[in-house]
Amino acid sequence: MADAVIDLNADLGEGFGRWSLTDDEALLSVVTSANIACGYHAGDPSTMRRVCALAAERGVRIGAQVSYRDLAGFGRRAMDVPPEELADEIAYQIGALQVFARAAGSRVSYVKPHGALYNRVVADSEQAEAVVAGVLRAGAVCDGPLPVLGLPGSRLLSVAEGVGLPVVTEAFADRAYTWAGTLVPRREPDAVVHDPESVITRAVGIARDGTVEAVGGDRIAVEARSLCVHGDTPGAAQLAWRIRGALASGGVRVEAFS
């Protein structure tokens, strides 16, 4: 795949008040898209404003990372939210981020669910429809339909496509995959790949060949236009630089999808 192209995205702005988890400034010098926490699993107005300003300054696309309202659990706990309420909460989060993106001279360019919500909408049609409804509601303040970033084959992307929203497939070099192409739940052993060399090898394989090694050793197909680098991983910025360098050496062009 000589003309392989991929976007690098990272979860940023994952702090609250005096607490900070991600090295936003360092990662924004590497990635092409920034999934910025919108206050429900992490983030606060000042953090959102600061990260939007940094992203705009560096030409990095701004994405709304929406989640269940779960600050204490970092958005990784399963929750049952009525669809209409969830749609409103998704629109609310996108709208809040758009204020700071506009103030920075940029805009919200896409939406990506976080944590438990990301995993839920892989198979749950009702919750996926609620997320898409929220994205559509926010469209009025976001210059039209926003692309939705998610797992290939997920209900979220299927529902989004069904109503005419652009969709972007995503993969994770540092997460273990099942043979079915879904992510191994974080509560299970070895759900996260910690060895940097393995992460780099997997990143290049995903970008160039569209495959990744699943649990059990089989290689599975993974369609991805964007590759996620988790910002809360220790040494995330250094690892992201190494991934970007390995992609370039492997003939992969790194550029934003939007």
Side-chain angles (χ1 to χ4, degrees), residues 11 76 112-120 122-123 150-152 154 170-193 202 206 212-215 220-222 226-228 230:
D11 303 342
R76 287 180 176 164
K112 173 184 172 178
H114 165 82
L117 181 58
Y118 187 99
N119 292 320
R120 180 76 169 267
V122 169
L151 203 69
S154 65
E170 177 183 40
F172 300 81
D174 62 353
R175 290 294 308 277
Y177 278 81
T178 69
W179 63 269
T182 57
L183 301 178
V184 173
R186 281 183 177 269
R187 64 180 178 273
E188 295 186 14
D190 302 320
V192 178
V193 180
R202 290 164 69 87
I206 290 168
V212 69
E213 184 178 307
V215 172
I220 61 170
V222 177
S226 188
L227 185 67
C228 181
H230 278 106

Side-chain angles (χ1 to χ4, degrees), residues 14-201:
E14 292 184 326
F16 192 84
R18 297 179 62 185
W19 170 65
S20 180
L21 181 63
T22 50
D23 189 348
D24 300 320
E25 190 159 359
L27 281 164
L28 283 168
S29 66
V30 190
V31 300
T32 45
S33 296
N35 319 314
I36 301 177
C38 299
Y40 270 31
H41 74 281
D44 57 34
S46 293
T47 301
M48 293 161 69
R49 177 191 55 76
R50 177 180 57 81
V51 179
C52 281
L54 286 170
E57 181 182 294
R58 299 179 185 190
V60 176
R61 301 296 190 272
I62 293 173
Q65 187 165 42
V66 297
S67 70
Y68 288 126
R69 195 187 312 202
D70 180 27
L71 272 177
F74 196 59
R76 287 180 176 164
R77 298 185 293 192
M79 302 182 74
D80 288 317
V81 181
E84 192 69 13
E85 183 179 337
L86 179 58
D88 288 338
E89 292 188 344
I90 297 303
Y92 179 90
Q93 292 175 76
I94 298 168
L97 189 66
Q98 177 73 336
V99 168
F100 296 112
R102 281 298 195 199
S106 186
R107 64 184 178 87
V108 173
S109 296
Y110 65 95
V111 178
K112 173 184 172 178
H114 165 82
L117 181 58
Y118 187 99
N119 292 320
R120 180 76 169 267
V121 296
V122 169
D124 189 319
S125 293
E126 185 178 65
Q127 295 282 279
E129 288 167 3
V131 170
V132 169
V135 175
L136 290 173
R137 286 175 193 177
V141 297
C142 292
D143 304 321
L146 290 171
V148 176
L149 183 61
L151 203 69
S154 65
R155 288 301 302 151
L156 175 66
L157 296 194
S158 177
V159 171
E161 277 190 312
V163 298
L165 289 177
V167 300
V168 182
T169 52
E170 177 183 40
F172 300 81
D174 62 353
R175 290 294 308 277
Y177 278 81
T178 69
W179 63 269
T182 57
L183 301 178
V184 173
R186 281 183 177 269
R187 64 180 178 273
E188 295 186 14
D190 302 320
V192 178
V193 180
H194 294 287
D195 177 59
E197 299 303 327
S198 296
V199 173
I200 292 166
T201 298

